């Protein structure tokens, strides 16, 4: 195991563990630490006024330091006290996996950190967004339960093939946009590709709709009233620019409702509107309202059709509780109801998320098909028949029988045995010498072997993924470092050294360093760098070295003139220093 585990992480299934990568703390440079410190100081100063009260409380509870990038596995010792854990991953992971982590009370944290040139905002997930955005709010019990429940429901949402294509495109854009020196035409091309995909998604899948809910709550949510909202969304809590922008009248504030599920978002542009929930409990109310629209709870013909369209591994649960997991490829319908379903390839049968003995993917390698519904002319469904009823209709062992189902499905064969659920309902009947047909089409022949007929009057549920996680090999992801690291050279390495020296001076590790000498090197050799000069200004003011502080101010004014885009960043940094001195 390449990461430090704990009781919460020990419960993660292997298919989620495959996404975890170690957080190599030694890879963070002193420049990275300075970026973290600047963003956190700026955010805490501003967010103390506009964020939900849980934010500042949560920073303390989750062990997140303002001065240093958090060590995730140090965080875990504290997070355990509120029933959560954190793991490092490489950037974006598939949405269903992300949500399933949440269902296990595990916070997914991209361990990379944004570059200095993207200090205000990065489209790529980073430790500022995840650690400083998501982690503090989960200290609120009501919100933490919402996040867990969201993961539980969201991981069952059925995707479309286009969803994964969009995920890959967004991941690609986030990587190249954060990477140093990416040509603008490549970024524009990637943004155009995402725009084209979003314009041609067709009918939005359940995953697309629930991702909208996630975006407008977990990422960009506001709480309170539309006239006086507070911030709780991680995307806003972790962005210097957007947290201020969202509070202006230029961003429309709408009351949160299920309509948010049908409001798409564009990660490449500022959000024109945000949704305001009156309280955290209301988030769960809307989530349950949305869940009631999902195939997870509705089942039926529409549910299995969603699974067929997704072309992904999924599960249907029949009214008896028997669960069939596989790749669904066909459904025969009659009177707007499914009367027969078919999977292709490896299939497993389960009951209450536990695989039935003798019905693994090794036993059903070529697919599985079964009728659904009632027999012609008999109002009583097979599952509701008592042993006496079954005998009256000759549905018992060692009988050769013909079963005519509504919708034209006919089964003829010799009954070998039946399997019952815990309630005593028959859920599976096994035949030999069996022929299954729909009108003139043969669906199963005797030479195929034993025929297992799943019993169920209707499809009660349909959802993404297998019923029993151990039924399928879900280890398909390779943890590779796909994020593009800055290429180091002698010049950048020397700058990192200067940042390290000033960090050690501030922390009292090495007080022999000449701050003035470092400053002169920055002025001469790194005229575009501004953050280290802000840190030097802080040290000068703290030691009442006003002449040195004034010299730094003159230099920073020159930097602002040459690069006006960083002017407000410099001003904000200096203001923070001066405010702390007043306090």
């Amino acid at each position: 195991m390449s990461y430090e585990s704990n009781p919460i992480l020990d419960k993660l299934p292997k298919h989620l563990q495959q996404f975890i990568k170690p957080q190599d703390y030694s890879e963070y440079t002193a420049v990275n630490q300075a970026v973290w410190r600047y963003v956190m100081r700026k955010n805490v100063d501003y967010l103390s006024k506009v964020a939900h009260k849980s934010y500042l409380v949560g920073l303390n509870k989750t062990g997140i330091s303002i001065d240093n990038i958090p060590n995730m596995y140090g965080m875990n010792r504290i997070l355990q006290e509120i029933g959560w854990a954190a793991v490092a991953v490489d950037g974006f992971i598939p949405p269903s996996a992300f949500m399933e982590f949440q269902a296990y009370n595990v916070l997914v944290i991209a361990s990379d950190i944004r570059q200095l040139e993207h200090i205000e905002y990065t489209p790529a997930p980073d430790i500022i967004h995840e650690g400083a955005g998501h982690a503090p709010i989960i200290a609120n019990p009501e919100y933490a339960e919402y996040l867990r429940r969201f993961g539980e429901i969201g991981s069952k949402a059925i995707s479309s093939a286009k969803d994964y294509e969009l995920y890959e495109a967004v991941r690609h854009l986030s990587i190249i946009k954060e990477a140093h020196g990416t040509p603008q035409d490549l970024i524009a091309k990637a943004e155009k590709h995402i725009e084209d995909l979003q314009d041609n998604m067709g009918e939005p899948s359940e995953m697309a709709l629930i991702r909208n809910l996630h975006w407008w709550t977990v990422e960009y949510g506001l709480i309170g009233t539309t006239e006086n909202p507070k911030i709780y969304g991680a995307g806003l809590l972790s962005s210097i620019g957007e947290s201020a922008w969202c509070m202006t009248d230029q961003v429309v504030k709408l009351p949160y409702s299920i309509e948010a599920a049908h409001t798409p978002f564009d990660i490449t542009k500022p959000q024109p509107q945000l949704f305001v929930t009156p309280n955290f409990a209301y988030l769960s109310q809307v989530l349950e309202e949305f869940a009631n629209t999902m195939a997870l709870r509705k089942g039926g013909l529409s549910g299995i059709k969603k699974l067929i369209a997704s072309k992904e591994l999924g599960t249907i649960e029949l009214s008896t509780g028997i669960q069939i997991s596989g790749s669904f490829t066909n459904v025969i319908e009659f009177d707007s109801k499914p009367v027969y379903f078919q999977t292709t390839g490896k299939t497993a049968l389960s009951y209450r998320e536990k695989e039935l003995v003798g019905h693994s993917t090794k036993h059903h390698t070529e697919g599985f098909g079964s009728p659904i519904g009632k027999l012609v002319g008999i109002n009583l469904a097979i599952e509701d028949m008592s042993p006496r009823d079954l005998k009256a209709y000759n549905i018992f062992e060692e009988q050769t029988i013909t079963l005519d189902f509504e919708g034209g499905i006919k089964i003829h064969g010799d009954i070998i045995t039946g399997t019952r659920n815990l309630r005593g309902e028959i859920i599976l009947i096994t035949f030999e010498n069996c022929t299954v047909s729909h009108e003139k089409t043969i669906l199963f022949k005797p030479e195929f072997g034993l025929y297992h007929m799943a019993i169920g009057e209707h499809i009660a549920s349909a959802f993404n993924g297998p019923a029993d996680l151990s039924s399928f090999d879900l280890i398909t992801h390779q943890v590779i470092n796909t994020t593009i690291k800055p290429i180091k050279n002698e010049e950048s390495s020397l700058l990192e050294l200067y940042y390290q020296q000033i960090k050690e001076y501030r922390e009292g590790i090495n007080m022999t360093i000449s701050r003035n000498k470092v400053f002169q090197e920055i002025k001469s050799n790194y005229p575009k760098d501004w953050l280290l000069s802000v840190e030097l200004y802080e040290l000068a003011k703290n030691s009442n070295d006003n002449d040195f502080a004034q010299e730094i101010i003159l230099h920073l004014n020159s930097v602002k003139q040459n690069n006006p885009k960083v002017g407000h960043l410099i001003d904000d940094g200096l203001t923070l220093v001066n405010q702390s001195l007043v306090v």
Side-chain angles (χ1 to χ4, degrees):
M1 188 176 290
S2 60
Y3 60 93
E4 182 183 336
S5 194
N6 62 41
I8 295 173
L9 297 182
D10 287 342
K11 294 178 182 177
L12 286 175
K14 288 182 179 179
H15 75 278
L16 290 183
Q17 292 178 20
Q18 67 182 319
F19 293 101
I20 301 173
K21 75 168 194 176
Q23 180 198 29
D24 188 350
Y25 200 86
S26 64
E27 285 191 359
Y28 296 123
T29 68
V31 179
N32 297 150
Q33 295 285 359
V35 167
W36 169 273
R37 185 168 182 264
Y38 177 91
V39 173
M40 288 302 294
R41 293 179 78 199
K42 181 78 181 77
N43 278 3
V44 169
D45 174 68
Y46 176 67
L47 293 172
S48 62
K49 307 177 188 76
V50 299
H52 186 267
K53 59 185 179 181
S54 297
Y55 174 73
L56 291 178
V57 174
L59 279 178
N60 294 324
K61 276 191 178 180
T62 51
I64 295 172
S65 163
I66 291 175
D67 287 324
N68 293 290
I69 295 171
N71 183 314
M72 229 164 299
Y73 306 110
M75 272 178 66
N76 271 331
R77 289 192 291 272
I78 301 170
L79 285 172
Q80 277 187 95
E81 295 178 12
I82 57 174
W84 281 72
V87 295
V89 298
D90 181 37
F92 281 112
I93 63 172
S96 59
F98 181 88
M99 292 184 191
E100 196 173 353
F101 270 110
Q102 286 181 189
Y104 283 91
N105 282 27
V106 175
L107 196 63
V108 173
I109 296 181
S111 56
D112 290 309
I113 187 167
R114 65 196 65 178
Q115 300 303 302
L116 177 54
E117 55 263 40
H118 303 140
I119 194 167
E120 285 194 283
Y121 170 77
T122 174
D126 76 335
I127 197 164
I128 293 177
H129 171 79
E130 313 282 11
H134 286 293
I137 298 295
I138 65 168
N140 180 292
E142 186 73 47
Y143 181 75
E145 173 56 19
Y146 167 71
L147 207 60
R148 185 202 68 77
R149 184 70 173 148
F150 197 107
E152 194 172 52
I153 293 171
S155 62
K156 300 295 185 184
I158 301 171
S159 301
S160 71
K162 289 185 177 181
D163 287 332
Y164 194 78
E165 190 179 355
L166 180 61
Y167 153 72
E168 289 283 10
V170 169
R171 177 176 167 84
H172 173 68
L173 174 64
S174 72
I175 290 171
I176 65 170
K177 209 167 184 180
E178 175 60 22
H180 180 74
T182 303
Q184 191 57 44
D185 62 325
L186 285 183
I187 293 174
K189 183 179 178 182
E191 289 179 338
K192 181 67 167 59
H193 180 49
I194 289 175
E195 189 177 317
D196 291 343
L197 286 174
Q198 289 176 327
D199 289 342
N200 295 280
M201 292 295 286
E203 186 72 22
S205 68
E206 290 180 349
M207 180 57 76
L209 294 175
I210 204 165
R211 278 181 66 240
N212 288 343
L213 283 186
H214 192 272
W215 181 266
W216 298 122
T217 60
V218 178
E219 295 295 346
Y220 278 81
L222 298 175
I223 187 169
T225 65
T226 52
E227 295 79 22
N228 184 32
K230 299 291 184 183
I231 296 171
Y232 73 91
L236 298 173
L237 292 173
S238 60
S239 171
I240 300 171
E242 287 198 276
S243 59
W245 161 257
C246 78
M247 287 297 167
T248 68
D249 292 338
Q250 292 172 285
V251 178
V252 178
K253 315 298 190 303
L254 301 172
Y256 181 59
S257 71
I258 199 169
E259 282 305 308
H262 301 278
T263 306
F265 59 89
D266 185 343
I267 70 159
T268 67
K269 298 172 184 175
Q271 307 311 314
Q273 79 282 309
L274 295 174
F275 290 89
V276 186
T277 182
N279 48 58
F280 287 137
Y282 187 66
L283 295 177
S284 295
Q285 183 179 324
V286 172
L287 177 61
E288 292 300 324
E289 187 181 350
F290 177 79
N292 287 336
T293 70
M294 293 172 60
L296 174 68
R297 294 185 180 174
K298 296 186 76 172
L301 180 62
S302 63
I304 192 168
K305 281 187 171 181
K306 286 179 181 179
L307 285 178
I308 292 170
S310 76
K311 299 180 181 178
E312 296 286 339
L313 173 61
T315 297
I316 62 168
E317 181 176 317
L318 303 187
S319 45
T320 55
I322 190 170
Q323 297 164 315
I324 300 93
S325 301
S327 178
F328 291 84
T329 51
N330 189 36
V331 61
I332 298 173
E333 57 183 285
F334 172 76
D335 198 19
S336 299
K337 294 179 182 179
V339 294
Y340 192 89
F341 67 85
Q342 180 70 50
T343 67
T344 300
K346 292 181 177 180
T347 304
L349 309 186
S350 303
Y351 181 74
R352 292 189 175 179
E353 287 71 50
K354 186 175 181 180
E355 184 179 279
L356 295 176
V357 175
H359 293 283
S360 70
T361 57
K362 292 179 181 178
H363 299 89
H364 301 287
T365 58
E366 302 298 325
F368 182 88
S370 182
I372 312 167
K374 293 181 179 179
L375 297 170
V376 174
I378 302 175
N379 286 328
L380 197 63
I382 293 176
E383 65 202 70
D384 296 326
M385 292 181 181
S386 67
R388 183 175 294 178
D389 294 325
L390 290 169
K391 193 163 187 178
Y393 291 112
N394 284 328
I395 305 174
F396 63 95
E397 291 84 346
E398 299 181 356
Q399 291 293 309
T400 300
I401 192 170
T402 298
L403 299 175
D404 287 305
F405 283 85
E406 293 176 348
I409 305 297
K410 179 178 288 189
I411 293 179
H412 178 80
D414 304 330
I415 297 177
I416 298 177
T417 187
T419 303
R420 294 182 181 275
N421 64 17
L422 293 173
R423 296 193 298 268
E425 299 166 334
I426 191 155
I427 62 173
L428 198 67
I429 297 176
T430 301
F431 296 81
E432 63 181 358
N433 303 319
C434 187
T435 299
V436 182
S437 61
H438 174 243
E439 297 174 349
K440 295 182 179 180
T441 303
I442 302 298
L443 303 173
F444 189 93
K445 299 177 181 178
E447 53 264 38
F448 292 171
L450 296 178
Y451 179 71
H452 305 279
M453 182 178 77
I455 304 299
E457 191 268 333
H458 64 275
I459 298 174
S461 179
F463 54 88
N464 168 67
D468 186 334
L469 295 174
S470 64
S471 294
F472 293 81
D473 179 11
L474 303 174
I475 312 297
T476 57
H477 178 79
Q478 294 293 321
V479 180
I480 53 175
N481 193 15
T482 56
T483 50
I484 303 170
K485 303 289 186 183
I487 299 172
K488 291 188 179 183
N489 53 36
E490 187 177 344
E491 182 182 12
S492 62
S493 297
L494 193 55
L495 179 60
E496 288 175 6
L497 175 62
Y498 293 141
Y499 269 87
Q500 182 65 32
Q501 288 176 341
I502 297 307
K503 182 176 186 293
E504 290 177 359
Y505 185 96
R506 186 181 66 250
E507 295 174 350
I509 296 170
N510 185 356
M511 305 296 289
T512 64
I513 293 163
S514 170
R515 293 168 294 154
N516 202 286
K517 187 179 289 186
V518 169
F519 176 62
Q520 298 307 323
E521 288 290 336
I522 296 299
K523 276 179 62 178
S524 300
N525 300 317
Y526 303 94
K528 293 182 180 179
D529 186 86
W530 58 271
L531 183 53
L532 188 55
S533 294
V534 170
E535 296 217 326
L536 284 164
Y537 175 78
E538 179 186 5
L539 294 177
K541 295 295 286 185
N542 286 341
S543 60
N544 293 317
D545 192 344
N546 293 324
D547 290 341
F548 186 30
Q550 191 57 38
E551 187 181 355
I552 296 170
I553 290 288
L554 291 173
H555 168 65
L556 286 172
N557 285 337
S558 175
V559 174
K560 287 195 288 184
Q561 288 176 354
N562 293 326
N563 186 7
K565 287 183 179 180
V566 301
H568 67 288
L569 296 171
I570 293 170
D571 291 341
D572 289 347
L574 298 178
T575 300
L576 280 173
V577 172
N578 293 328
Q579 282 178 347
S580 65
L581 290 172
V582 172
V583 173

